[in-house]
Amino acid sequence: QIQVVESGGGAVQAGGSLRLSCQASGMIFAGYHVAWFRQTPGKEREGVSCASWSRGTPDYADSVKGRFTISRDNAQNTSYLQMNSLKSEDTAMYYCAAGFTSNFLCPLAVNEYRHWGQGTQVTVSS
């Protein structure tokens, strides 16, 4: 059974940092794209960052470029999202997702990911 579990969320002041972790099991993690999404009440889930199975250049939403860094450790079936210089608008529920496409580039689209975690809340106070 494939499972994806996020951790590391919490409350932080603006300008602070958090590192989210995503632990996957039941899959050959190295063969999957992994992505982070976020969602606030009443809004659609949006892509934040993704890392390809092909180890190509990660992709980032414009709103987080230069502040967030995605990484993956295939030996540990884990992905991380390092979030620096956090802003109040980064407040959201953050979700990790894993999915496979044959494309070398990872997509930042919700419908491309089949396996999702339950989310971890990030709250940034100004």
Side-chain angles (χ1 to χ4, degrees):
Q1 181 181 357
I2 292 175
Q3 286 190 319
V4 177
V5 179
E6 306 94 338
S7 62
V12 65
Q13 289 190 331
S17 299
L18 283 174
R19 188 176 82 154
L20 306 183
S21 298
C22 171
Q23 180 72 52
S25 60
M27 67 171 74
I28 302 175
F29 186 69
Y32 284 75
H33 299 311
V34 62
W36 290 90
F37 293 81
R38 65 187 182 187
Q39 188 171 23
T40 54
K43 292 190 177 181
E44 293 187 354
R45 195 167 294 188
E46 64 169 349
V48 175
S49 181
C50 65
S52 169
W53 56 261
S54 70
R55 296 178 178 266
T57 302
D59 196 14
Y60 296 92
D62 288 342
S63 58
V64 307
K65 281 181 181 176
R67 301 188 297 120
F68 290 11
T69 303
I70 191 172
S71 61
R72 61 187 299 163
D73 181 346
N74 290 336
Q76 299 296 324
N77 284 6
T78 301
S79 173
Y80 302 99
L81 185 68
Q82 178 67 43
M83 306 186 296
N84 298 329
S85 301
L86 283 161
K87 305 175 181 179
S88 57
E89 51 262 46
D90 295 317
T91 295
M93 184 71 78
Y94 283 72
Y95 297 90
C96 179
F100 175 77
T101 72
S102 58
N103 197 321
F104 290 156
L105 300 176
C106 58
L108 265 181
V110 170
N111 61 356
E112 296 286 358
Y113 292 86
R114 181 176 179 182
H115 308 290
W116 291 82
Q118 293 300 306
T120 186
Q121 178 68 38
V122 171
T123 302
V124 184
S125 58
S126 57

